């Protein structure tokens, strides 16, 4: 009874190189027929024969498939043509002589097939010749006649030409062999392999194998029509009934009672194992627990790579006789033959074609599985990118993709929770596949710690490894209906963190012995990756939603805190606003030192009224009053210089410049509104420190904005007030006007950063020097607006000397406080202007500040707008005062130094 074994994916171990051994013995037999040779000649011929066999064993299985990537150039190279100029000539000749090329490829393919069959015949001769009878327990078995022509009838080109990787049915006519061996044009549908839906009809046409001699019956002729017909048909995975027909045919030609076939597989660790067993007398497939005696004998064949012929099974220790209760059921003799892929030699013509058929079927099945897996991965990736209202809905959508592919009855996902006090899992999502309506139903419930699936999930979570189990019929009870189960952990970002466990339960198939295959394991691993990504994405989305909710609450609280009291709003609304002359708002020498807080807010309202902004943009007067009071409230009162007084002085300077005839006639009303809002809000919520300190202390503002942190924060606070209910002075603007106004406000506030001013001023100075400033140019007006913001921000340097000196002392006080904090917190030496020890050098630093920052700006501004000349003159006067203080300070220092020196001399004398 022949028990066939095939090895299609990896090659057999080195100690079982049966094909090479057969070839060597076959070559020795051929030499004995041709005559005796010397020892050296015999050795050289044997080495040459082995090299030839090694070269022929490296043909890959790709040649037996229709690859869309094949080109005529690739085909010619596989047929032995060299690469280079000669190859281009050959290709050009083939294109010009297509009929000759077609005939050539047809002959080459037929010769290659006959060469394979002839080598198999040589291997078969090894079994039947007397020399090899000792290796098979002394039993000689009469085999069927060879099914191929002898070597003497082969074309010489077959021996020398490299193998072609073209499939035979790629170049033959679409005809099919009938059972009698004749050729007839039949239907395009194969009798045993219907057309695959994945292949075009033109690629699946069954073709015949042309032979120089007419084909006859399997036992008498030189080729087996049945096997050749399967080999020449469309390439697709074999069904159980097709394998059963092949085994029945082998029983007929060997006169065996039964024939068995077992496929091999390789697990993740690289260890070979025998798979399910196919029998010739029924179409069922036995699982791993069936026919252990077959597996023992076949295991020996796998390890050695040689056939095994047992004359009496009772005398062989590998045969387990206790498995058979009745004597008549026990087999008397067994022949087990390895079926190798095309990389090794085989025993007979049937084994050659059977091996090719099985390998093609396996490769086609692997290709279909990989295609199906890629489609599943694509669908999972698309589903993960969506947003879902709950975790259950997301997992059900993902499980609906994998359940039909793996044929599992239901999927269970256990979600871990490290903070749970009950167990390792917080909840369980159960998804069941409904075959009738092709849908899934999911439910979320608390897990039962007594359930067997929970125990498996805990095991997978603790071991962090995949689990694939099969329960026997005796292990299945009313409490646990789990027949087959496969589970894998859901890993987090770190890889060693398990965030859940996914299980597929009860593979739904035609037979009860089917289990989850290695392909199902790969799919479940991929599914687990996407489930983990989906869970992490959902958790991140939940955290983001909570953060947004917290921000909304914080914004609500802040909105309340920055809103002015209703009594203050009513008082300002009902008050009579004095004129601009009363507040001296049209004078560059304006000072707020003698003004009250109420008068300061009234002065801001007067500036907006005189610029006609409420009438121009339909700003409600009460809303304007509330907005001014809210801006005043957002300036910190504990800051020495950058407070509400500084904001008022900046806005007043901008107001005076905008009232000049040059600027008033060239700026639009929207630009004037943006400049006034920006000048009043340019230092909102200032903390009394500069950007350098913000970045060095790694405050949230630095992390949020990166550069110009304070200026960005001032702008955001400005928007917060503008959008606060009751303070929306821009609510009457159109959407286009609102966007333009907000964009100009942002640019104007950012322009108050001295680093940005230094970057832009070179271009402005060049325009002023060449008198090339164009008021119609939007870029020039934007640049001028930025310079006006800086000129207003530093306008304290242009004030009358008493005011300027007092403001300079306030600035120095704020700077010294920051320097003290830097020494204490960072243990660094602060800048010279912030070091309290340099307080006596304040006049020198003021002179340097005027020369480096202030004077160039006011001179360029005066050249463009002559009405701004008072700013230049005020800056020049204050420089003289600071220079006098610097000089007097130096004289006093010299006097002190001289007096100290004279005193030391007197003491010394």
């Amino acid at each position: 009874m022949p028990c066939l074994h095939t090895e299609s994916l990896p090659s057999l171990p080195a100690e079982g190189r049966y094909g090479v051994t057969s070839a060597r013995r076959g070559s020795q037999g051929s030499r004995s027929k041709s005559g005796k040779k010397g020892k050296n000649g015999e050795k050289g011929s044997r080495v040459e024969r082995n090299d030839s066999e090694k070269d022929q064993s490296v043909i890959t299985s790709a040649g037996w498939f229709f690859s869309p990537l094949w080109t005529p150039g690739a085909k010619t190279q596989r047929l032995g043509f060299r690469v280079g100029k000669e190859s281009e000539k050959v290709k050009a000749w083939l294109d010009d002589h297509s009929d000759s090329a077609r005939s050539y490829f047809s002959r080459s393919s037929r010769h290659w097939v006959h060469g394979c069959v002839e080598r198999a015949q040589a291997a078969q001769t090894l079994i039947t010749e007397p020399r090899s009878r000792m290796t098979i327990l002394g039993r000689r078995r009469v085999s069927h006649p060879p099914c191929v022509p002898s070597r003497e009838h082969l074309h010489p080109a077959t021996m020398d030409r490299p193998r072609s990787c073209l499939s035979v049915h790629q170049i033959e006519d679409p005809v099919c062999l009938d059972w009698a061996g004749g050729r007839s044009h039949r239907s395009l549908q194969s009798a045993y392999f219907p057309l695959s839906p994945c292949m075009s009809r033109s690629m699946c046409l069954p073709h015949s194998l042309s032979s120089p001699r007419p084909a006859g019956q399997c036992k008498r002729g030189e080729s087996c029509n049945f096997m050749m017909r399967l080999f020449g048909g469309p390439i697709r995975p074999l069904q159980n009934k097709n394998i059963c027909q092949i085994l029945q045919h082998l029983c007929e030609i060997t006169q065996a009672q039964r024939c068995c076939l077992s496929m091999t597989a390789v697990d993740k660790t690289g260890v070979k194992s025998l798979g399910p067993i196919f029998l010739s007398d029924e179409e069922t497939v036995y699982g791993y627990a069936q026919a252990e005696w077959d597996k023992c004998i076949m295991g020996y064949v796998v390890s050695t790579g040689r056939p095994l012929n047992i004359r009496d099974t009772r005398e062989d220790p590998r045969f387990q006789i206790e498995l058979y209760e009745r004597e008549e059921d026990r087999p008397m003799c067994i022949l087990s033959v390895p079926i190798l892929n095309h990389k090794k030699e085989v025993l007979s013509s049937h084994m050659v074609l059977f091996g090719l058929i099985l390998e093609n079927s396996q490769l086609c099945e692997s290709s279909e599985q990989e295609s199906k897996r890629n489609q599943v991965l694509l669908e999972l990736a698309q589903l993960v990118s969506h947003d879902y209202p709950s975790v259950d809905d997301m997992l059900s959508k993902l499980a609906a993709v994998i359940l039909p592919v793996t044929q599992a009855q239901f999927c269970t996902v256990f979600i871990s929770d490290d903070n749970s006090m009950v167990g390792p899992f917080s909840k369980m999502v159960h998804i069941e596949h409904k075959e009738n309506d092709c849908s899934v139903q999911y439910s979320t419930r608390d897990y039962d710690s007594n359930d067997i699936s929970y125990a498996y999930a805990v095991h997978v979570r603790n071991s962090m490894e995949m689990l694939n189990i099969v329960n026997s019929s005796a292990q299945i009870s009313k409490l646990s209906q789990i027949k087959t189960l496969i589970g894998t952990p859901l890993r987090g970002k770190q890889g060693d963190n398990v965030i859940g466990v996914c299980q597929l339960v009860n593979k739904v198939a035609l037979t009860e012995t089917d289990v989850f295959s290695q392909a199902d394991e790969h799919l479940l691993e991929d599914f687990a990756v996407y489930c983990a990504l989906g869970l992490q994405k959902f958790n991140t989305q939940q955290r983001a939603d909570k953060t947004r909710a917290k921000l909304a609450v914080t914004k609500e609280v802040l909105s309340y805190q920055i809103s002015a009291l209703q009594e203050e709003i009513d008082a300002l609304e009902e008050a009579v606003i004095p004129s601009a002359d009363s507040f001296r708002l049209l004078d560059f020498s304006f000072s707020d030192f003698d003004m009250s807080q109420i008068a300061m807010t009234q002065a801001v309202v007067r500036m907006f009224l005189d610029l006609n902004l409420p009438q121009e943009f339909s700003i409600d007067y009460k809303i304007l009053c509330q907005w001014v009071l809210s801006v005043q409230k957002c300036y910190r009162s504990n800051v020495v210089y950058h407070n509400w007084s500084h904001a008022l002085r900046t806005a007043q300077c901008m107001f005076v410049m905008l009232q000049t005839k040059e600027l008033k006639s060239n700026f639009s009303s929207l630009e004037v509104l943006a400049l006034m809002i920006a000048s009043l809000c340019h230092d909102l919520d200032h903390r009394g420190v500069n950007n350098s300190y913000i970045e060095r202390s790694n405050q949230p503002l630095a992390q949020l904005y990166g550069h110009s942190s304070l200026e960005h924060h001032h702008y955001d606070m400005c928007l917060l007030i503008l959008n606060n209910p009751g303070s929306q002075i821009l609510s009457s603007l159109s959407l286009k006007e609102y966007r333009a106004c907000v964009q100009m406000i942002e640019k104007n506030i950012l322009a108050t950063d001295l680093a940005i001013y230094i970057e832009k001023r070179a271009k402005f100075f060049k325009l002023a020097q060449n008198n090339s400033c164009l008021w119609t140019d939007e870029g020039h007006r934007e640049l001028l607006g930025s310079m006006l913001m800086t000129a207003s921000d530093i306008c304290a340097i242009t004030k009358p000397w008493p005011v300027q000196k007092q403001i300079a002392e306030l600035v120095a006080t704020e700077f010294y406080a920051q320097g003290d904090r830097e020494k204490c917190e960072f243990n660094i030496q602060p800048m010279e202007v912030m070091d309290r020890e340099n307080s006596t050098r304040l006049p020198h630093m003021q002179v340097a500040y005027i020369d480096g920052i202030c004077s160039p700006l006011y001179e360029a501004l005066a050249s463009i707008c002559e009405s701004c000349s008072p700013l230049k003159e005020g800056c020049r006067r204050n420089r003289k005062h600071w220079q006098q203080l610097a000089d007097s300070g130096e004289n006093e220092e010299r006097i002190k130094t001289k007096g100290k020196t004279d005193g030391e001399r007197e003491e010394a004398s």
Side-chain angles (χ1 to χ4, degrees):
M1 173 180 133
C3 299
L4 306 180
H5 164 73
T6 180
E7 169 63 22
S8 301
L9 298 178
S11 57
L12 289 173
E15 63 270 11
R17 297 170 56 187
Y18 174 75
V20 177
T21 305
S22 301
R24 185 180 296 116
R25 293 176 180 175
S27 63
Q28 292 175 357
S30 300
R31 284 197 305 271
S32 63
K33 294 180 182 180
S34 58
K36 294 183 179 180
K37 293 185 180 181
K39 181 181 295 184
N40 296 335
E42 180 179 357
K43 181 179 180 181
S45 177
R46 182 163 57 251
V47 173
E48 180 181 359
R49 176 64 175 171
N50 288 337
D51 293 340
S52 175
E53 295 295 338
K54 290 180 180 180
D55 294 340
Q56 294 175 357
S57 65
V58 298
I59 301 299
T60 63
S61 60
W64 296 101
F65 284 93
F66 303 103
S67 175
L69 302 179
W70 273 29
T71 60
K75 296 178 181 179
T76 55
Q77 291 178 13
R78 290 178 180 269
L79 287 173
F81 295 106
R82 299 181 181 273
V83 180
K85 295 182 178 180
E86 295 297 330
S87 177
E88 297 298 331
K89 294 180 180 179
V90 171
K91 294 177 183 178
W93 187 89
L94 290 175
D95 292 336
D96 296 337
H97 303 78
S98 59
D99 295 335
S100 300
R102 180 179 179 86
S103 177
Y104 170 79
F105 289 128
S106 178
R107 292 195 308 273
S108 299
S109 301
R110 290 195 299 269
H111 294 160
W112 181 85
V113 171
H114 294 314
C116 290
V117 178
E118 189 277 334
R119 285 189 294 274
Q121 179 187 7
Q124 179 67 21
T125 305
L126 175 63
I127 302 178
T128 57
E129 64 183 10
R131 185 175 181 178
S132 63
R133 284 199 297 266
M134 296 297 295
T135 62
I136 54 176
L137 306 181
R139 185 177 184 274
R140 177 182 178 89
R141 182 178 180 88
V142 180
S143 177
H144 56 276
C147 298
V148 295
S150 61
R151 181 174 292 275
E152 290 80 7
H153 294 88
L154 294 177
H155 195 278
T158 308
M159 302 296 296
D160 301 329
R161 187 179 304 279
R163 293 192 189 187
S164 169
C165 289
L166 290 174
S167 177
V168 176
H169 49 269
Q170 282 182 279
I171 57 177
E172 287 293 339
D173 297 330
V175 294
C176 182
L177 293 175
D178 57 11
W179 286 100
R183 298 177 58 175
S184 62
H185 293 270
R186 296 183 56 187
S187 170
L188 300 182
Q189 181 83 7
S190 175
Y192 293 93
F193 298 91
L195 291 173
S196 173
C198 301
M199 304 172 61
S200 62
R201 297 181 67 88
S202 59
M203 300 295 290
C204 299
L205 298 178
H207 295 275
S208 66
L209 296 175
S210 300
S211 176
R213 298 189 179 189
Q217 295 290 337
C218 179
K219 296 184 179 181
R220 306 182 186 87
E222 296 176 343
S223 63
C224 178
N225 292 339
F226 178 80
M227 303 296 289
M228 297 292 281
R229 185 174 185 177
L230 293 178
F231 175 68
I235 302 174
R236 60 172 298 163
L238 290 175
Q239 303 296 329
N240 294 349
K241 63 178 182 179
N242 303 126
I243 297 179
C244 180
Q245 291 173 353
I246 296 176
L247 298 179
Q248 291 174 358
H249 178 68
L250 294 176
C251 287
E252 294 176 1
I253 62 175
T254 57
Q255 298 181 357
Q257 182 181 1
R258 189 176 63 168
C259 188
C260 305
L261 169 67
S262 177
M263 309 292 286
T264 60
V266 179
D267 57 13
K268 297 180 181 179
T269 61
V271 179
K272 295 179 182 178
S273 61
L274 290 171
I277 298 176
F278 300 88
L279 301 179
S280 59
D281 52 358
E282 50 185 313
E283 296 183 3
T284 58
V285 182
Y286 289 93
Y288 293 91
Q290 303 293 330
E292 294 294 336
W293 62 273
D294 282 336
K295 295 174 63 175
C296 291
I297 295 175
M298 291 181 182
Y300 172 81
V301 175
V302 171
S303 61
T304 60
R306 298 189 178 96
L308 178 63
N309 197 340
I310 302 176
R311 176 180 300 178
D312 191 351
T313 57
R314 293 172 295 181
E315 298 177 359
D316 196 287
R318 289 161 297 203
F319 176 66
Q320 301 178 9
I321 192 172
E322 59 273 9
L323 294 179
Y324 295 87
E325 299 179 357
R326 298 187 303 174
E327 180 71 22
E328 57 271 15
D329 293 339
R330 300 173 185 173
M332 297 299 299
C333 56
I334 297 176
L335 172 63
S336 183
V337 180
I339 302 178
L340 311 180
N341 56 15
H342 64 281
K343 298 179 181 179
K344 295 287 185 177
E345 293 293 340
V346 292
L347 293 179
S348 65
S349 60
H350 287 83
M351 297 303 102
V352 171
L353 297 178
F354 199 10
L356 293 174
I357 292 171
L358 291 176
E359 183 180 16
N360 285 351
S361 175
Q362 285 185 331
L363 291 177
C364 183
E365 185 176 2
S366 300
S367 177
E368 290 183 358
Q369 290 179 354
E370 189 65 23
S371 176
K372 187 183 300 182
R373 176 173 176 267
N374 293 337
Q375 184 65 27
V376 169
L377 295 181
L378 181 60
E379 294 182 11
L380 292 177
Q382 292 175 347
L383 291 175
V384 167
S385 63
H386 298 164
D387 295 331
Y388 298 96
S390 64
V391 174
D392 308 340
D393 188 58
M394 178 195 66
L395 293 177
S396 65
K397 293 292 193 300
L398 296 177
V401 177
I402 192 173
L403 283 176
V405 179
T406 58
Q407 296 181 344
Q409 183 179 358
F410 56 86
C411 173
T412 305
V413 180
F414 294 85
I415 301 177
S416 300
D417 186 5
D418 297 334
N419 300 325
S420 177
M421 303 299 295
V422 180
F425 304 111
S426 59
K427 67 176 182 178
M428 177 185 70
V429 181
H430 182 83
I431 307 103
E432 186 173 358
H433 179 233
K434 298 296 183 180
E435 297 183 358
N436 298 332
D437 53 357
C438 299
S439 62
V440 295
Q441 293 182 356
Y442 68 90
S443 60
T444 303
R445 60 177 183 269
D446 296 333
Y447 57 86
D448 184 6
S449 58
N450 297 323
D451 190 5
I452 188 64
S453 61
Y454 169 78
Y456 291 143
V458 173
H459 173 77
V460 172
R461 183 181 185 275
N462 296 334
S463 64
M464 299 181 63
E465 295 179 355
M466 176 170 287
L467 178 66
N468 192 346
I469 63 171
V470 180
N471 291 328
S472 61
S473 301
Q475 294 174 318
I476 301 175
S477 62
K478 295 181 179 180
L479 297 178
S480 176
Q481 296 297 325
I482 297 178
K483 301 176 183 178
T484 55
L485 181 143
I486 181 173
T488 189
L490 306 180
R491 302 179 184 271
K493 295 181 180 179
Q494 290 76 13
D496 56 349
N497 179 28
V498 178
I499 63 176
V501 174
C502 179
Q503 294 179 351
L504 295 179
V505 183
N506 291 347
K507 188 176 182 66
V508 180
L510 298 177
T511 59
E512 298 181 355
T513 57
D514 281 348
V515 297
F516 290 105
S517 62
Q518 189 174 6
D520 296 331
E521 294 181 1
H522 294 326
L523 281 175
L524 183 61
E525 288 178 344
D526 299 332
F527 176 72
V529 171
Y530 284 99
C531 277
L533 289 176
L535 289 176
Q536 293 175 5
K537 177 178 177 293
F538 185 83
N539 293 334
T540 303
Q541 186 67 30
Q542 277 192 327
R543 288 193 295 267
D545 293 341
K546 290 182 179 180
T547 303
R548 281 193 290 267
K550 291 180 180 180
L551 289 177
V553 174
T554 304
K555 184 178 179 180
E556 182 181 356
V557 174
L558 183 60
S559 174
Y560 172 78
Q561 295 296 331
I562 66 177
S563 298
L565 298 177
Q566 189 63 38
E567 295 80 2
E568 297 177 349
I569 299 173
D570 296 338
L572 182 58
E573 182 183 5
E574 296 173 359
V576 178
I577 307 300
S579 64
D581 294 335
S582 302
F583 292 124
R584 299 182 59 188
L585 293 176
L586 297 176
D587 191 354
F588 283 111
S589 61
F590 168 82
S591 174
D592 64 287
F593 285 157
D594 56 350
M595 295 179 64
S596 64
Q597 294 292 325
I598 297 177
M600 294 170 68
T601 56
Q602 291 177 354
V604 174
V605 174
R606 172 50 59 186
M607 287 187 287
F608 274 77
L609 292 175
D610 288 358
L611 290 173
N612 201 31
L613 296 177
Q615 296 82 358
E616 186 74 24
F617 298 102
S618 303
I619 302 175
D620 185 78
Y621 184 71
K622 183 177 181 179
I623 293 178
L624 177 62
C625 295
Q626 183 173 347
W627 176 78
V628 173
L629 292 172
S630 297
V631 171
Q632 179 190 21
K633 196 171 183 179
C634 284
Y635 277 96
R636 300 192 179 191
S637 59
N638 60 341
V639 177
V640 178
Y641 172 70
H642 291 92
N643 49 30
W644 171 243
S645 297
H646 169 64
L648 177 61
R649 288 191 296 267
T650 304
Q652 185 270 336
C653 183
M654 179 65 70
F655 170 73
V656 177
M657 290 188 293
L658 292 176
Q659 289 287 39
T660 60
K661 58 181 180 179
E662 294 91 350
L663 300 180
K664 188 175 183 179
S665 59
N666 290 288
F667 278 115
S668 66
S669 300
L670 192 63
E671 291 172 333
V672 172
L673 177 64
L675 286 171
M676 287 301 299
I677 294 175
S679 61
L680 192 65
C681 301
H682 79 284
D683 275 333
L684 278 173
D685 195 40
H686 200 287
R687 284 90 189 282
V689 293
N690 59 9
N691 286 324
S692 177
Y693 179 85
I694 295 293
E695 295 174 1
R696 186 177 287 114
S697 59
N698 197 24
Q699 293 187 11
L701 287 179
Q703 300 175 3
L704 184 61
Y705 302 112
H707 65 91
S708 301
S709 302
L710 283 172
E711 287 72 23
H712 280 101
H713 177 61
H714 303 328
Y715 167 69
D716 286 346
M717 290 297 298
C718 177
L719 282 185
L720 179 63
I721 299 175
L722 288 174
N723 294 323
N724 193 34
S727 302
Q728 300 171 338
I729 61 175
L730 303 180
S731 59
S732 60
L733 272 65
S734 64
L735 180 60
K736 182 178 180 181
E737 290 176 336
Y738 176 82
R739 289 178 177 176
C741 183
V742 168
Q743 186 176 9
M744 287 187 289
I745 292 174
E746 180 182 12
K747 292 180 180 179
N748 293 334
I749 292 179
L750 293 179
T752 58
D753 187 357
L754 288 181
I756 297 179
Y757 157 72
I758 294 174
E759 294 177 0
K760 292 184 176 182
R761 68 178 185 173
K763 182 178 180 181
F764 179 72
F765 292 165
K766 185 176 180 180
L767 292 177
Q769 183 180 1
N770 300 333
N771 195 20
S772 57
C773 182
L774 301 177
W775 295 105
T776 57
D777 191 309
E778 184 177 354
H780 288 185
R781 292 202 314 276
E782 179 182 333
L783 180 61
L784 178 59
S786 299
M787 296 299 110
L788 291 178
M789 287 295 301
T790 304
S792 302
D793 191 19
I794 63 175
C795 69
I797 203 66
T798 66
K799 299 299 180 179
W801 171 244
V803 177
Q804 208 288 311
K805 185 179 180 181
Q806 186 176 356
I807 294 176
E809 291 175 353
L810 294 176
V811 174
T813 302
E814 187 174 297
F815 282 1
Y816 294 155
Q818 178 179 333
D820 296 341
R821 295 174 64 178
E822 290 178 347
K823 288 180 181 180
C824 179
E825 296 176 8
F826 310 131
N827 194 23
I828 61 173
Q829 182 64 30
M831 297 173 58
E832 184 181 7
V833 297
M834 296 183 179
D835 192 356
R836 194 179 297 275
E837 297 178 359
N838 296 328
S839 58
T840 57
R841 291 188 50 81
L842 178 61
H844 298 85
M845 292 184 289
Q846 284 294 98
V847 172
Y849 170 66
I850 292 173
D851 293 341
I853 301 294
C854 304
S855 291
L857 174 61
Y858 290 126
E859 291 176 1
L861 190 60
S863 64
I864 293 178
C865 180
E866 188 177 355
S867 301
C868 296
S869 298
L871 295 173
K872 181 181 69 172
E873 297 300 329
C875 182
R876 186 178 299 176
R877 288 192 302 268
N878 288 328
R879 187 191 184 283
K880 291 180 180 180
H881 288 290
W882 286 115
Q883 187 64 49
Q884 291 175 0
L885 288 179
D887 295 341
S888 62
E890 291 178 357
N891 293 333
E892 292 178 0
E893 187 69 22
R894 283 195 298 269
I895 293 174
K896 290 181 180 180
T897 303
K898 184 178 179 181
K900 185 178 180 179
T901 304
D902 293 342
E904 291 177 353
R905 289 177 181 177
E906 291 178 359
E907 292 178 0
S909 63

